[in-house]
Amino acid sequence: MPTPNLPDATHDPAEAFALPTGTTAVVYCEGQFGEQDGKTANGLVRHSEKYDVLSVIDSSCAGVDAGSFLDGIPNGIPVVADLEDALHLAGEVPDYLICGVAPADGLLSDAQRVVLLDGIANGMHVINGLHEFLNDDAEFVAAAALARVTITDVRRPKEKRDLHLFSGRIFDVTCPRIAVLGTDGAIGKRTTATLLVQALNAAGIKAVMVGTGQTTLIQGGKYGVALDALVPQFCSGEVENQVVAAWEGEDPDVIIVEGQGALSHPAYLTSAHILRGSRPAGVIVQHAPRRVALGDFPMVAMPSIAREIALIEAFADTEVIGVTINHELMETDEIGGVIAHHARSLGLPVTDPLTRPGAELVDMVLLAFPALAHSRVPLTL
């Protein structure tokens, strides 16, 4: 198989892939599809600008349609039991095997190593979003050389000399920035940010997303950085740099910044860097009302949404403009009541991005930034 012309993994991750149209991929997510630690696979099934996802590997739910399993809407991407089934279904060797698991420690298990090495042996390039860099692993490097394929470590940061400290250039960005933060990790911030950008653009308001995690970069995000892989000294500066790049490169009406973790989270500091680096004029907070403990830290109780809002507004010169609900553990007929309850108690617009119209997200933004209504470009049919 010809090797795509990929830059070295040490270059800017947001520019790491220049892939041909129709690039095919299988996403490996054994035992985690639809779960919190399967968020990379979940995200790729819902949205990918870069890959034609042919199947998802997870024997625990093999045989289902991935879209139906996640969101109740078929998307034609089957879930299969193993790599052999994925290859048989494709009819030829797909271009890429993407590691779709995202455990808190960012490390591969022995069983996961075997599957990725098997993909390499079959001639598939590997996309790795974990903290464990496979280009530093002698076994993977040797296997890739033998099979004449590439391994891309998405989270590998640039050299320190190429990283950015906070510079103040963010003050030159005149369009509103809206950060989508949350009350926990793996709670739907990236999905909400993606749907918000799509809804705004569909409404004629030019919106650009700045990603802050590996999944957004794998999906094909043009602007972003894997923030949790950086030395903290450079985190706010790298966020600022990507926001400025989006502003200068796209001339958008509004910039949406993907959140990471939660400001209150005991294990992650990334929300703080996002607030400092992007200096958002508004924040949308994603919350899962039925989640009682932090996803990967069951010893820590979930914060209340009111407490998280107060913490965000105390920490940064910004305002929470709305709340988005993650409906996990809810029956369909419960969701409307939960939305209404939070809207009454918080005095803010509230919606569920996955079950309610995108227009509700647009209205949330326009209520806070009415001047954006004048930026609308009439849509042509």
Side-chain angles (χ1 to χ4, degrees), residues 246-309:
W247 162 249
E248 293 177 345
E250 309 295 332
D251 190 23
D253 300 317
V254 60
I255 295 173
I256 308 301
V257 184
E258 175 196 11
Q260 295 293 320
L263 189 58
S264 62
H265 203 293
Y268 308 129
L269 295 175
T270 37
S271 289
H273 299 303
I274 290 165
L275 286 166
R276 291 291 189 244
S278 68
R279 298 186 67 86
V283 172
I284 294 171
V285 183
Q286 178 92 2
H287 182 55
R290 296 288 188 262
R291 194 179 292 190
V292 298
L294 298 183
D296 287 320
F297 301 87
M299 75 296 293
V300 181
M302 278 283 289
S304 71
I305 181 63
R307 185 183 111 188
E308 195 73 25
I309 289 171

Side-chain angles (χ1 to χ4, degrees), residues 69-81:
F69 186 77
L70 278 183
D71 303 317
I73 303 173
N75 63 5
I77 300 175
V79 180
V80 299

Side-chain angles (χ1 to χ4, degrees), residues 170 173 177 210 223 238-248 255 257 277-278:
I170 194 68
V173 178
R177 281 88 65 200
V210 171
Y223 301 97
E238 281 295 302
V239 172
E240 177 193 46
N241 184 61
Q242 290 299 319
V243 172
V244 171
W247 162 249
E248 293 177 345
I255 295 173
V257 184
S278 68

Side-chain angles (χ1 to χ4, degrees), residues 35-37 39 184-189 261 291 295-296 326 328:
E35 303 295 330
Q36 292 178 39
D37 284 355
K39 64 181 183 179
D184 192 9
I187 203 168
K189 298 179 291 291
R291 194 179 292 190
D296 287 320
N326 177 328
E328 66 183 24

Side-chain angles (χ1 to χ4, degrees), residues 32-314:
Q32 297 298 327
F33 185 57
E35 303 295 330
Q36 292 178 39
D37 284 355
K39 64 181 183 179
T40 296
N42 303 342
L44 284 165
V45 162
R46 287 178 171 134
H47 174 73
S48 177
E49 300 172 30
K50 187 175 296 182
Y51 302 102
D52 176 12
V53 177
L54 302 181
S55 62
V56 175
I57 298 173
D58 185 348
S59 63
S60 69
C61 52
V64 304
D65 178 274
S68 296
F69 186 77
L70 278 183
D71 303 317
I73 303 173
N75 63 5
I77 300 175
V79 180
V80 299
D82 53 31
L83 181 60
E84 183 179 358
D85 285 351
L87 294 174
H88 177 74
L89 182 69
E92 60 182 9
V93 178
D95 299 314
Y96 284 84
L97 179 59
I98 302 174
C99 184
V101 294
D105 62 8
L107 304 177
L108 282 176
S109 69
D110 290 342
Q112 291 165 346
R113 287 177 63 91
V114 169
V115 175
L116 296 185
L117 286 166
D118 194 16
I120 289 172
N122 276 280
M124 301 173 74
H125 305 281
V126 167
I127 302 296
N128 168 43
L130 301 178
H131 285 299
E132 182 176 6
F133 300 148
L134 302 185
N135 280 298
D136 294 340
D137 186 302
E139 185 177 15
F140 274 93
V141 170
L146 184 64
R148 298 174 62 85
V149 300
T150 59
I151 299 171
T152 303
D153 293 314
V154 178
R155 265 183 167 135
R156 186 185 291 276
K158 296 178 290 187
E159 296 293 332
K160 291 184 178 64
R161 63 176 175 270
D162 296 322
L163 294 173
H164 298 82
L165 291 170
F166 184 82
S167 67
R169 291 186 300 152
I170 194 68
F171 299 117
D172 297 330
V173 178
T174 58
C175 75
R177 281 88 65 200
I178 300 172
V180 181
L181 304 184
T183 51
D184 192 9
I187 203 168
K189 298 179 291 291
R190 183 197 66 256
T191 297
T192 291
T194 300
L195 292 172
L196 175 57
V197 168
Q198 292 172 350
L200 287 167
N201 280 305
I205 299 169
K206 187 175 182 181
V208 176
M209 181 167 163
V210 171
T212 54
Q214 77 279 6
T215 302
T216 303
L217 297 176
I218 295 172
Q219 288 175 315
K222 185 175 180 180
Y223 301 97
V225 59
L227 198 58
D228 62 0
L230 296 180
V231 175
Q233 179 80 357
F234 299 103
C235 285
S236 62
E238 281 295 302
V239 172
E240 177 193 46
N241 184 61
Q242 290 299 319
V243 172
V244 171
W247 162 249
E248 293 177 345
E250 309 295 332
D251 190 23
D253 300 317
V254 60
I255 295 173
I256 308 301
V257 184
E258 175 196 11
Q260 295 293 320
L263 189 58
S264 62
H265 203 293
Y268 308 129
L269 295 175
T270 37
S271 289
H273 299 303
I274 290 165
L275 286 166
R276 291 291 189 244
S278 68
R279 298 186 67 86
V283 172
I284 294 171
V285 183
Q286 178 92 2
H287 182 55
R290 296 288 188 262
R291 194 179 292 190
V292 298
L294 298 183
D296 287 320
F297 301 87
M299 75 296 293
V300 181
M302 278 283 289
S304 71
I305 181 63
R307 185 183 111 188
E308 195 73 25
I309 289 171
L311 180 62
I312 290 168
E313 293 184 339

